[in-house]
């Protein structure tokens, strides 16, 4: 698998993640999708890049699976600090010119770039995760009902808290992350109205450091711990690893996000504190799109993953969580009620 563009080494919980980098140039062809045949696929990472133990790593897992099961050649492209839309346009253009099909932008930040690049490569399928605003005949919009999974997290948090105080940490205050907050608060309040929820965002757009700097998450979590929070749910990408470290060292519960963070090697030192994670099946979504292109029937338009398709949910990897039978029963009931339409989860607080 090839990795292209420069990447800055980042630190997670006092340990640096040394990520390898390979430089390669794009081919100067026209619409390379016409000769790719689905044999080459690429993903362009969101802020934080591979190694975030969360969103980007879930996308990578889908690409790695496609390499193994579909025999495609995968390429990865990393973001750079403080980049703008022009950088993303160049990145996607290079990936398409190099014959990759599909080319997948990991995160809503790729919307403006895909809107500009996709029409220039009509035979190449472009996927974008977490955005449905930019559409086209060759664009696949992979979106999730994050609020539904977060509702279940709120139910679990309200059931396990002993202080009646729980925290939510959002990386950057965007409409997408507000969905996580909304579902979490609603699930907690529906379960126990007396529970206090402490919401906090690390940065405001256009500053997206709240998705990439663990120290910001750590400081925010410590502030919530000081206010007696004993369960903290972080939807903050790489920055969430700092929150997980802080809560773990305080002997309190964490709720992870996007990937099953209990299983992430980079968080192994803190996994016993990760009660559960709100998962998004980003891995399958990436794999499925690649497979559709390889099969000659590329999927385009909105592709939505919710509780009804197990596209979002709660992980059950921590044995301590699965032993909480009353909590699991409450979560299962809430899941059924959402799928049956008895509960409608808000998408904004």
């Amino acid at each position: 698998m090839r990795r292209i563009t420069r990447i800055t080494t980042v630190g997670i919980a006092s340990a640096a993640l040394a990520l390898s980098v390979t430089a390669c140039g794009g081919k100067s062809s026209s619409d390379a999708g016409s000769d790719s045949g689905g044999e080459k696929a690429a993903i362009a990472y969101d802020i934080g890049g591979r190694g975030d133990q969360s969103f980007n790593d879930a996308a990578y897992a889908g690409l790695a699976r496609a390499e193994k099961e579909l025999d495609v050649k995968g390429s990865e492209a990393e973001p750079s600090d403080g980049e703008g839309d022009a950088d993303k346009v160049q990145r996607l253009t290079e990936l398409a010119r190099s014959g990759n099909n599909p080319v997948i932008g990991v995160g809503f930040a790729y919307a403006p770039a895909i809107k500009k690049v996709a029409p220039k490569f009509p035979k190449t399928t472009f996927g974008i995760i977490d955005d449905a605003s930019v559409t086209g005949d060759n664009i696949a919009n992979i979106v999730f009902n994050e609020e539904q999974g977060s509702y279940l997290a709120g139910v679990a948090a309200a059931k396990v808290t002993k202080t009646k105080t729980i925290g939510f940490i959002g990386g950057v205050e965007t409409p997408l992350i507000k969905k996580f907050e909304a579902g979490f608060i609603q699930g907690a309040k529906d379960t126990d109205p007396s529970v206090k929820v402490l919401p906090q965002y690390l940065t405001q757009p256009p500053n997206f450091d709240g998705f990439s700097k663990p120290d910001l998450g750590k400081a925010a979590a410590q502030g919530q711990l000081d206010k007696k929070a004993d369960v903290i749910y972080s939807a903050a990408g790489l920055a969430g690893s700092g929150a997980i470290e802080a809560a773990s060292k305080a002997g309190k519960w964490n709720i992870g996000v996007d990937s099953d963070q209990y299983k992430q090697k980079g968080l192994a030192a803190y996994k016993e504190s990760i009660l559960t994670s709100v998962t998004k099946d980003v891995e399958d979504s990436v794999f499925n799109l690649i497979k559709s292109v390889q099969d000659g029937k590329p999927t385009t338009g909105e592709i939505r993953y919710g509780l009804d398709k197990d596209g979002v949910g709660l992980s059950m990897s921590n044995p301590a969580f699965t032993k909480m039978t009353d909590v699991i029963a409450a979560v299962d009931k809430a899941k059924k009620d959402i799928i049956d339409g008895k509960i409608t989860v808000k998408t904004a607080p």
Side-chain angles (χ1 to χ4, degrees):
M1 187 178 295
R2 300 183 307 160
R3 302 190 77 183
I4 66 175
T5 47
R6 185 177 59 81
I7 177 173
T8 303
T9 302
V10 296
I12 287 187
S14 307
L17 289 175
L19 302 179
S20 62
V21 182
T22 308
C24 68
K27 298 178 182 178
S28 57
S29 61
S30 55
D31 186 359
S34 60
D35 62 13
S36 70
E39 296 175 356
K40 297 169 69 177
I43 54 178
Y45 290 119
D46 199 4
I47 298 163
R50 175 146 62 101
D52 68 349
Q53 314 297 322
S54 185
F55 186 50
N56 289 298
D57 281 1
Y60 166 72
L63 181 62
R65 181 180 157 200
E67 283 196 311
K68 182 179 180 180
E69 297 183 19
L70 305 178
D71 198 30
V72 302
K73 297 178 181 179
S75 292
E76 309 164 70
E78 295 280 356
S80 57
D81 291 341
E83 69 177 26
D85 289 338
D87 299 291
K88 292 181 175 64
V89 167
Q90 180 180 4
R91 181 176 305 124
L92 296 179
T93 299
E94 289 176 353
L95 291 173
R97 282 179 176 168
S98 296
N100 293 290
N101 188 17
V103 174
I104 304 172
V106 184
F108 61 84
Y110 278 95
I114 284 182
K115 182 177 182 180
K116 187 171 184 177
V117 177
K120 298 179 180 179
F121 298 88
K123 295 179 182 178
T124 299
T125 297
F126 288 83
I128 181 166
I129 301 175
D130 285 347
D131 180 86
S133 67
V134 55
T135 59
D137 292 340
N138 61 332
I139 298 174
N141 305 94
I142 300 169
V143 291
F144 299 83
N145 292 119
E146 295 90 354
E147 72 281 0
Q148 294 180 348
S150 297
Y151 184 100
L152 302 185
V155 172
K159 295 288 288 184
V160 303
T161 180
K162 295 179 180 179
T163 62
K164 298 289 185 179
T165 304
I166 60 179
F168 171 80
I169 296 175
V172 183
E173 191 167 2
T174 64
L176 174 67
I177 305 302
K178 299 292 276 187
K179 291 173 66 180
F180 288 88
E181 178 193 357
F184 184 62
I185 293 175
Q186 185 180 346
K189 292 293 187 179
D190 284 356
T191 303
D192 184 349
S194 69
V195 169
K196 182 179 181 181
V197 184
L198 306 175
Q200 182 173 348
Y201 285 87
L202 303 180
T203 61
Q204 299 288 326
N207 180 357
F208 286 85
D209 286 351
F211 288 138
S212 63
K213 297 187 179 297
D215 59 318
L216 296 179
K218 185 175 182 179
Q222 189 58 59
Q224 294 184 343
L225 292 167
D226 291 343
K227 295 178 181 178
K228 307 303 181 184
D230 60 354
V231 185
I232 296 178
Y233 172 35
S234 302
L238 181 61
S241 63
I244 288 173
E245 178 187 4
S248 175
K249 290 184 175 180
K252 307 303 180 183
W253 287 119
N254 283 290
I255 295 177
V257 76
D258 292 340
S259 297
D260 182 353
Q261 295 195 295
Y262 181 87
K263 292 183 175 180
Q264 292 295 320
K265 292 181 180 179
L267 298 172
Y270 315 117
K271 72 176 187 177
E272 299 305 327
S273 75
I274 303 174
L275 182 71
T276 182
S277 297
V278 176
T279 56
K280 292 169 58 173
D281 201 356
V282 175
E283 175 182 340
D284 272 1
S285 73
V286 168
F287 176 86
N288 291 341
L289 182 58
I290 295 172
K291 187 176 188 303
S292 77
V293 173
Q294 189 184 64
D295 290 344
K297 299 178 180 179
T299 304
T300 57
E302 182 176 296
I303 309 166
R304 182 167 293 278
Y305 292 84
L307 279 179
D308 57 338
K309 298 178 181 177
D310 290 324
V312 296
L314 288 189
S315 62
M316 297 288 172
S317 300
N318 191 334
F321 184 52
T322 58
K323 290 178 182 177
M324 300 176 182
T325 54
D326 60 328
V327 179
I328 300 299
V331 167
D332 287 344
K333 183 180 185 303
K335 178 179 179 179
K336 185 177 186 303
D337 287 347
I338 292 172
I339 293 173
D340 291 346
K342 295 180 180 179
I343 296 176
T344 299
V345 187
K346 300 175 182 178
T347 56

